Amino acid sequence: MYFRAFTLCLEFYILYYGVVASENQCKIKDLVADCSHLKLSNIPSDLPVNITVLNLSHNQLKSLPASVLSTYNQLRALDSGYNVITKIDENLCKALPFLHMLGLEHNQLSHLSVHYFPYCSNLTELYLQFNRIKEITGDPFKSLQELMVLDVSHNKLVSGKLGTQLQLEKLQRLALSANKITQLRNNDFDFLKNTTLYQLDLSSNKLTEFEPNCFHTLGSLHVLVLDNVLLHPNATEQLSQALSGTDIIELSLRNTHLKIQANTFAGLNKTNLISLDLSNNKLTTLQGNPFQWLHDLENLYLENNSISHISRKTFAGLENLKCLNLKKGLRGQGSQPDAESLIDDYSFQGLKNLVQLNLEDNSIAGIRAHTFSGLTSLKYLSLYNCLVDLKTVRNETFVSLAESPLVNLNLTKTKISKLQHGAFSWFKKLKKLDIGLNSIAQTLTGEEFRGLNEVEEIYLSYNSKLILISSSFVHVPSMKVLMLSKSNIVSLNSQPSPFDPLQNLTVLDLSNNNLANLDKDVFRELRQLQVLKLQHNNLARLWKGINPGGPVLYLNSMTELQMLDLQSNGLDELPEKAFQGLYKLSVLDLSSNNLNILPGVVFNDLQSLKLLHMQKNLITSVEKDVFNQAFNNLTALYMGFNPFDCTCESISWFVTWLNKTNSSIPDLKSQYICNTPPSYHNRTVVAFDISPCKDVAPFAGAFIISSSFILGIIFTVFLIQFQGWRLEFYWNFSVNRIFGFREIDHQEIQFEYDAYIIHAKNDIDWVNNYLLPLEQHDQTMFQFCLEERDSEVGISELESIVRSISQSRKIIFVMTQELLKDPWCRRFKVHQAMQQAIQQSRDAIILIFLHDIPDYKLHQMLCLRRGMFKSHCILAWPAQHERIPAFHQKLKVALGSSNQVQ
Ligand SMILES: *[C@@H]1O[C@H](CO)[C@@H](O)[C@H](O)[C@H]1NC(C)=O
Ligand SMILES: *[C@@H]1O[C@H](CO)[C@@H](O)[C@H](O)[C@H]1NC(C)=O
Ligand SMILES: *[C@@H]1O[C@H](CO)[C@@H](O)[C@H](O)[C@H]1NC(C)=O
Ligand SMILES: *[C@@H]1O[C@H](CO)[C@@H](O)[C@H](O)[C@H]1NC(C)=O
Ligand SMILES: *[C@@H]1O[C@H](CO)[C@@H](O)[C@H](O)[C@H]1NC(C)=O
Ligand SMILES: *[C@@H]1O[C@H](CO)[C@@H](O)[C@H](O)[C@H]1NC(C)=O
Ligand SMILES: *[C@@H]1O[C@H](CO)[C@@H](O)[C@H](O)[C@H]1NC(C)=O
Ligand SMILES: *[C@@H]1O[C@H](CO)[C@@H](O)[C@H](O)[C@H]1NC(C)=O
């Protein structure tokens, strides 16, 4: 036992010194070494040699010496970005033959030499952005036969010409953005003639000229990005001419100050352009039919523009368009920010294939009888936050969408105040209708939703005032999700319940309604319901015992329910049967209520509970009878901010559970605080010491024992009172006999010290004040060994401890809480001392208790027990000053007497 503890300590010791001795602070996990942000000026040489990824970014490296890196010749990726590297070692890739990724971004390379990458033929990604490269000469990339990604953006290049001979056969992506390139000449990209380049990024250059054949050598170019390039109208035309006949598929011209004229995109009619992004351009007019050339276009992005007028010609010719994004793209000509722009009737007539139309965040003059006519494929329409002045949605409002097979209609924040009968009757295929965040105030009779034969989700949250009656949802029985949060629904007591037709409903949100009145059967037919949100209502009265007719058990029979939110309802009572039958419930939120005492069986059916939220209630005790079942399978418990009563009766079961559970309990230390009793006030629940509670259970037994003990004492007192002299005589007689028979049967070894003192660092003052004075005492001269004072120089600490202990006749433990907490070193000393005492069969240990330390703690921390020692070797430091001389006397006795005893 002691031997095992000793070797354990030794292992700690070695581990501790082993870690300290290693100088680098890189984080190593599996085969990845992260040495970033360490202010390194040299590459660490003591990393595991088999690492495959090395991150050296954000340091102060000036170079990457191949000689050092050759140690790590298994590297696949080397990130040396954010350093001050000015040149590259010719042999870098020779030393790292498997290198695939080399990051050199944010360094100080000012030119690239032919000698930089000659052996890098296995490299697939090279990052050189944010350096100072002005010019590239002599074909530095010639050997990079496998390179797929090359990033030279944010440098000072004036030309896209990165080489003179054919090279980079495998290149796929080339980033040249944010350089100083002003023109693209016909032969600039000749060096890429034989590549499979598909993406070229030239954004943020000051390009003014595109020579007619500049892109023609790039046979497989699919994606061209020219964002933030200020394009003069002539340059835009040149660009589309230069792209004519290429394989271009995606063109991005965001924020280019684009002006679109009749012929701007004419050159693109000999391409198969699929995506065109013209967002962020302040476009105001789209004259003529500017997109007529783009027969194959499928996606057109016009986000964030100021287009004031859309006419029948604007989108003519886009017969293949699938997605049109006009979010925040329209703006009237008036000076107000929300001036209305005009959409002519039949403007979308030609868009036979359009599936998705986004008109969010616009201000439109109105929806007329033919605004959306012709959109025969439209499935998704969003008018979110669109000032269309809908006010009342009448049965004709959306007549122009009658031919559209609409699936999603988003009318959030469109200022609707009333829904008339048949408002959505055109949408036979609609699945999702969002009319939240409006100001609808009406009784829902059910006729509003007539015709929504396939609808599955309706969002009605955040409206002004909704009154539900029995027929409210009779026309939408296919509904699965119904959101009715914050719509001022104060009562749900019509019979039959408005929800009775919704037999397939799985999610119902009734939160934030100030709801105070529920019929007992309101959810009776919701047999498929999985999520029920009732938080922030006023449901406390329904569950009170004093409620006339008893508590309203509105949750019964919801056998599929998985998530129930009852947060902030003022609940102060839970009826015994509140959650009866909720066998599948896995999330229960009861937080921010006033719950205190709970009935014992209330959680008994919640066998599937995974998350329980009960924070911010008035819970004082957490008892087994109530919570045992609920806590059984929990993955997480949230029960902080309750006024826990830290007494054995209230929380000892809880603390025991906390100690052994695998459930996660976030913020256990900080949020679970004792309120009572005063001695534990403001202390964390986990600090509650349950060891005294163990005696509480067999209380009766304890009572019998202690009362017999007291009777025994009384008897003894009487006996001494009347027969004292006789007893004293027998006592002395026996003692003398025992001492008389005792022999000293072995020679005392010569010790250098009388006692070796083991104490915690913080207790040195006590040792100096109360132990060391004994060394100078008149008659009895003691010599103590104190590690700080007497350890021999020149030998290791470990060896010194072992030697000092073996040269001391006695070992004094100064027992304090600090000593228990003290790390390995004291523990090591303790075990070493025990080891020695046991080996030499010496009864050599003296315990001085400065604090009251329970025996179980002593055992737990140091594997010691009071019972292991002679009683005269266990001393307690007296609280009263006048008793100190007596203590010293006892100590001297303990120090002196023990020598002979074995
Ligand atoms: C890598 O080397 C370390 C020793 O440096 C070794 O412990 C580890 O098992 C090795 N990992 C692999 C995957 O070879
Ligand atoms: C490239 O990697 C292969 C293994 O994937 C290796 O055999 C070869 O030597 C490497 N080439 C160079 C030039 O280092
Ligand atoms: C072009 O690349 C192909 C393979 O990708 C290769 O066979 C051919 O030799 C290359 N042509 C030139 C001129 O390098
Ligand atoms: C743009 O092109 C027109 C004719 O095509 C020409 O007259 C005009 O000077 C050009 N403008 C610029 C700035 O090059
Ligand atoms: C491109 O436009 C011209 C007229 O400007 C037209 O003659 C030609 O057919 C169009 N080409 C394609 C492929 O549409
Ligand atoms: C629209 O409602 C009016 C009455 O408000 C009715 O006369 C008309 O028939 C309805 N139209 C349709 C298509 O339901
Ligand atoms: C409606 O659009 C808004 C904004 O894009 C979005 O947040 C919301 O989720 C959409 N509603 C539905 C039901 O998709
Ligand atoms: C409810 O769901 C079932 C199974 O998905 C389906 O067969 C039934 O038609 C649905 N009921 C309604 C009214 O849509």
Side-chain angles (χ1 to χ4, degrees):
M1 167 81 213
Y2 286 109
F3 183 68
R4 213 189 63 208
F6 173 65
T7 48
L8 205 71
C9 284
L10 209 61
E11 273 170 33
F12 275 147
Y13 188 86
I14 290 162
L15 200 69
Y16 178 70
Y17 276 85
V19 170
V20 168
S22 162
E23 65 201 9
N24 82 70
Q25 300 150 11
C26 302
K27 296 186 209 66
I28 294 156
K29 188 163 183 290
D30 300 331
L31 295 176
V32 176
D34 180 359
C35 302
S36 61
H37 295 278
L38 291 176
K39 300 199 167 89
L40 300 175
S41 47
N42 292 303
I43 299 172
S45 53
D46 52 355
L47 302 169
V49 296
N50 52 7
I51 52 170
T52 57
V53 177
L54 175 56
N55 182 354
L56 291 169
S57 66
H58 297 272
N59 282 300
Q60 295 159 2
L61 302 173
K62 292 201 173 100
S63 62
L64 299 172
S67 51
V68 180
L69 283 167
S70 60
T71 323
Y72 313 119
N73 59 9
Q74 301 299 305
L75 278 185
R76 303 288 195 277
L78 173 61
D79 185 351
S80 45
Y82 295 88
N83 279 291
V84 288
I85 298 167
T86 50
K87 60 188 223 204
I88 307 297
D89 190 330
E90 177 164 11
N91 291 320
L92 179 68
C93 293
K94 206 178 200 177
L96 306 173
F98 303 110
L99 200 64
H100 283 299
M101 193 286 281
L102 177 57
L104 287 163
E105 70 278 9
H106 289 271
N107 275 293
Q108 298 184 355
L109 299 167
S110 54
H111 77 290
L112 295 181
S113 144
V114 259
H115 301 299
Y116 281 6
F117 312 111
Y119 303 105
C120 294
S121 56
N122 276 344
L123 211 58
T124 55
E125 293 169 48
L126 176 58
Y127 297 99
L128 290 163
Q129 66 269 33
F130 291 96
N131 276 283
R132 303 162 174 180
I133 306 164
K134 281 203 181 89
E135 206 183 351
I136 290 179
T137 49
D139 293 306
F141 305 122
K142 199 172 52 192
S143 328
L144 304 173
Q145 290 142 8
E146 295 292 324
L147 202 69
M148 295 200 275
V149 179
L150 175 58
D151 191 340
V152 282
S153 63
H154 294 271
N155 277 291
K156 296 177 174 170
L157 297 170
V158 293
S159 161
K161 188 166 180 155
L162 305 182
T164 54
Q165 334 170 353
L166 287 182
Q167 53 193 288
L168 297 166
E169 291 84 24
K170 299 269 179 69
L171 196 66
Q172 297 188 354
R173 291 199 287 136
L174 173 59
L176 278 166
S177 51
N179 276 290
K180 299 191 181 313
I181 304 172
T182 54
Q183 57 176 182
L184 296 184
R185 276 195 261 266
N186 284 336
N187 62 2
D188 276 356
F189 295 124
D190 279 359
F191 72 105
L192 296 173
K193 229 176 198 163
N194 206 13
T195 68
T196 49
L197 187 75
Y198 84 87
Q199 182 176 335
L200 176 60
D201 187 349
L202 281 162
S203 3
S204 303
N205 279 293
K206 295 213 166 69
L207 283 167
T208 53
E209 206 186 335
F210 300 88
E211 286 191 6
N213 291 322
C214 60
F215 297 117
H216 281 208
T217 46
L218 302 173
S220 53
L221 186 67
H222 284 2
V223 182
L224 177 61
V225 185
L226 286 164
D227 299 346
N228 312 317
V229 174
L230 301 189
L231 288 174
H232 186 270
N234 286 11
T236 319
E237 245 181 274
Q238 277 180 12
L239 172 66
S240 39
Q241 293 303 337
L243 286 170
S244 182
T246 65
D247 271 359
I248 193 80
I249 284 176
E250 276 183 55
L251 176 60
S252 182
L253 297 174
R254 297 169 70 96
N255 187 27
T256 54
H257 291 205
L258 193 67
K259 299 274 181 299
I260 298 184
Q261 293 162 345
N263 288 327
T264 301
F265 300 123
L268 294 174
N269 85 334
K270 279 205 205 128
T271 65
N272 298 322
L273 198 69
I274 304 244
S275 282
L276 178 60
D277 192 343
L278 303 176
S279 303
N280 300 359
N281 270 312
K282 301 188 178 131
L283 285 171
T284 53
T285 50
L286 297 173
Q287 281 163 8
N289 49 357
F291 305 115
Q292 59 176 305
W293 325 99
L294 309 174
H295 311 285
D296 292 322
L297 202 67
E298 291 180 9
N299 307 306
L300 177 57
Y301 305 102
L302 285 163
E303 250 181 79
N304 252 324
N305 282 294
S306 304
I307 302 162
S308 60
H309 185 200
I310 288 179
S311 72
R312 294 172 71 162
K313 281 180 148 187
T314 309
F315 300 118
L318 290 171
E319 61 264 30
N320 281 310
L321 202 65
K322 291 202 167 80
C323 169
L324 176 57
N325 187 346
L326 282 164
K327 179 173 174 163
K328 221 177 175 188
L330 308 179
R331 188 159 172 257
Q333 279 174 323
S335 52
Q336 302 96 316
D338 58 351
E340 291 175 341
S341 65
L342 215 58
I343 300 181
D344 290 354
D345 277 353
Y346 301 107
S347 285
F348 304 109
Q349 177 90 336
L351 306 178
K352 300 270 177 253
N353 282 307
L354 197 71
V355 174
Q356 196 172 348
L357 176 57
N358 186 341
L359 284 166
E360 294 177 6
D361 300 312
N362 284 309
S363 181
I364 300 172
I367 296 177
R368 286 183 309 278
H370 294 288
T371 302
F372 298 113
S373 292
L375 290 169
T376 50
S377 301
L378 194 67
K379 289 188 174 169
Y380 306 95
L381 172 61
S382 181
L383 290 165
Y384 171 86
N385 195 27
C386 201
L387 304 176
V388 275
D389 230 0
L390 283 172
K391 293 200 183 91
T392 300
V393 183
R394 286 168 294 118
N395 62 3
E396 309 98 55
T397 305
F398 292 116
V399 63
S400 63
L401 286 161
E403 304 166 278
S404 306
L406 220 53
V407 170
N408 272 16
L409 175 59
N410 196 335
L411 294 171
T412 307
K413 268 182 126 176
T414 46
K415 302 210 164 155
I416 301 172
S417 56
K418 186 155 173 44
L419 304 176
Q420 276 192 354
H421 292 183
F424 306 110
S425 55
W426 315 104
F427 306 125
K428 307 273 184 243
K429 302 266 174 219
L430 201 69
K431 292 250 187 285
K432 204 173 184 182
L433 173 64
D434 191 342
I435 37 179
L437 286 152
N438 282 296
S439 38
I440 303 171
Q442 69 189 80
T443 299
L444 295 176
T445 63
E447 289 304 307
E448 303 81 6
F449 305 123
R450 188 163 36 83
L452 290 171
N453 298 339
E454 295 185 13
V455 77
E456 291 180 352
E457 302 182 21
I458 297 187
Y459 290 75
L460 270 164
S461 300
Y462 294 89
N463 274 297
S464 298
K465 180 151 186 74
L466 300 179
I467 297 168
L468 304 188
I469 59 172
S470 297
S471 61
S472 290
F473 304 111
V474 282
H475 292 301
V476 282
S478 51
M479 198 140 55
K480 292 183 176 156
V481 175
L482 176 57
M483 307 302 268
L484 287 166
S485 176
K486 203 151 182 15
S487 290
N488 213 352
I489 303 168
V490 290
S491 171
L492 278 173
N493 54 2
S494 47
Q495 283 170 321
S497 161
F499 305 124
D500 276 4
L502 306 179
Q503 311 229 335
N504 280 356
L505 202 68
T506 56
V507 179
L508 176 59
D509 186 354
L510 284 165
S511 60
N512 294 281
N513 276 308
N514 217 16
L515 194 58
N517 207 355
L518 283 183
D519 185 67
K520 167 171 83 67
D521 291 328
V522 64
F523 305 129
R524 188 188 52 193
E525 295 296 323
L526 300 179
R527 302 229 166 78
Q528 303 299 319
L529 203 69
Q530 293 170 9
V531 176
L532 178 57
K533 301 181 129 218
L534 288 168
Q535 69 266 32
H536 294 277
N537 281 302
N538 201 2
L539 299 171
R541 182 189 56 85
L542 299 175
W543 274 353
K544 279 190 201 289
I546 55 158
N547 188 46
V552 182
L553 302 174
Y554 52 85
L555 295 173
N556 285 8
S557 78
M558 302 183 86
T559 49
E560 295 298 312
L561 201 63
Q562 291 171 16
M563 193 252 164
L564 173 62
D565 196 339
L566 281 164
Q567 194 194 135
S568 298
N569 264 289
L571 300 175
D572 51 4
E573 274 183 58
L574 296 182
E576 270 186 12
K577 296 183 174 173
F579 307 122
Q580 196 177 38
L582 306 184
Y583 298 109
K584 291 196 178 165
L585 197 69
S586 76
V587 182
L588 175 60
D589 194 337
L590 287 167
S591 60
S592 301
N593 282 296
N594 299 321
L595 297 170
N596 178 4
I597 313 244
L598 307 178
V601 294
V602 69
F603 297 133
N604 272 16
D605 286 352
L606 307 185
Q607 49 193 239
S608 308
L609 206 60
K610 292 275 178 290
L611 304 180
L612 176 60
H613 297 256
M614 289 199 79
Q615 66 270 34
K616 301 188 183 156
N617 274 286
L618 300 174
I619 293 169
T620 50
S621 71
V622 186
E623 286 161 66
K624 183 178 178 189
D625 290 346
V626 181
F627 290 98
N628 201 22
Q629 176 65 45
F631 284 3
N632 223 1
N633 289 318
L634 280 193
T635 40
L637 173 68
Y638 302 83
M639 214 183 201
F641 302 112
N642 275 295
F644 294 105
D645 171 44
C646 293
T647 59
C648 289
E649 298 75 32
S650 298
I651 63 157
S652 73
W653 176 79
F654 186 39
V655 175
T656 314
W657 179 82
L658 288 174
N659 283 341
K660 62 169 205 264
T661 184
N662 293 329
S663 315
S664 135
I665 300 150
D667 300 309
L668 178 58
K669 289 233 169 68
S670 59
Q671 295 181 0
Y672 294 67
I673 306 293
C674 303
N675 185 46
T676 51
S679 56
Y680 271 98
H681 183 72
N682 260 346
R683 287 174 60 185
T684 157
V685 166
V686 271
F688 181 74
D689 181 6
I690 52 166
S691 59
C693 304
K694 296 200 174 106
D695 301 334
V696 171
F699 191 74
F703 175 75
I704 292 166
I705 290 168
S706 61
S707 52
S708 342
F709 181 67
I710 290 168
L711 282 178
I713 287 181
I714 293 171
F715 175 77
T716 316
V717 167
F718 276 101
L719 196 67
I720 291 170
Q721 182 75 24
F722 299 109
Q723 300 288 333
W725 64 271
R726 211 186 288 275
L727 287 175
E728 196 179 347
F729 168 77
Y730 281 128
W731 173 255
N732 285 330
F733 179 77
S734 318
V735 167
N736 287 339
R737 274 189 64 158
I738 291 164
F739 274 80
F741 285 117
R742 193 162 273 271
E743 296 262 347
I744 303 168
D745 49 13
H746 65 89
Q747 201 61 40
E748 183 84 310
I749 314 159
Q750 278 305 304
F751 290 106
E752 196 171 330
Y753 302 107
D754 290 295
Y756 179 85
I757 301 174
I758 296 178
H759 64 89
K761 207 168 184 175
N762 291 350
D763 300 324
I764 184 71
D765 287 342
W766 185 89
V767 171
N768 282 333
N769 290 340
Y770 299 109
L771 280 191
L772 296 191
L774 289 179
E775 288 189 330
Q776 282 97 39
H777 213 273
D778 34 75
Q779 311 137 357
T780 50
M781 289 268 286
F782 290 111
Q783 182 61 46
F784 294 131
C785 176
L786 201 60
E787 199 58 44
E788 292 83 343
R789 185 184 65 179
D790 304 316
S791 72
E792 290 173 58
V793 269
I795 55 172
S796 82
E797 197 185 349
L798 184 69
E799 209 182 319
S800 158
I801 294 169
V802 175
R803 198 179 289 183
S804 306
I805 290 181
S806 67
Q807 286 170 354
S808 303
R809 193 176 45 188
K810 289 290 211 172
I811 301 153
I812 298 179
F813 288 82
V814 181
M815 300 300 303
T816 56
Q817 300 287 358
E818 279 73 33
L819 189 75
L820 297 188
K821 280 184 232 144
D822 213 304
W824 68 273
C825 178
R826 309 290 161 198
R827 256 212 238 185
F828 165 72
K829 286 186 190 174
V830 172
H831 289 297
Q832 176 59 23
M834 290 303 298
Q835 176 87 355
Q836 182 142 345
I838 286 165
Q839 266 175 7
Q840 302 180 355
S841 308
R842 285 196 296 141
D843 200 358
I845 287 172
I846 300 173
L847 303 182
I848 303 178
F849 285 91
L850 301 198
H851 297 157
D852 188 23
I853 294 166
D855 212 31
Y856 81 94
K857 241 182 193 168
L858 202 60
H859 182 64
Q860 200 179 346
M861 308 297 285
L862 299 178
C863 301
L864 300 178
R865 280 189 196 285
R866 282 187 176 79
M868 292 156 71
F869 308 100
K870 290 256 160 69
S871 61
H872 69 258
C873 295
I874 302 175
L875 284 75
W877 176 242
Q880 296 91 338
H881 199 260
E882 61 272 19
R883 294 203 189 165
I884 290 175
F887 167 82
H888 275 150
Q889 196 54 40
K890 272 195 209 163
L891 180 59
K892 276 189 253 171
V893 170
L895 280 169
S897 73
S898 60
N899 290 358
Q900 307 124 15
V901 190
Q902 65 171 28

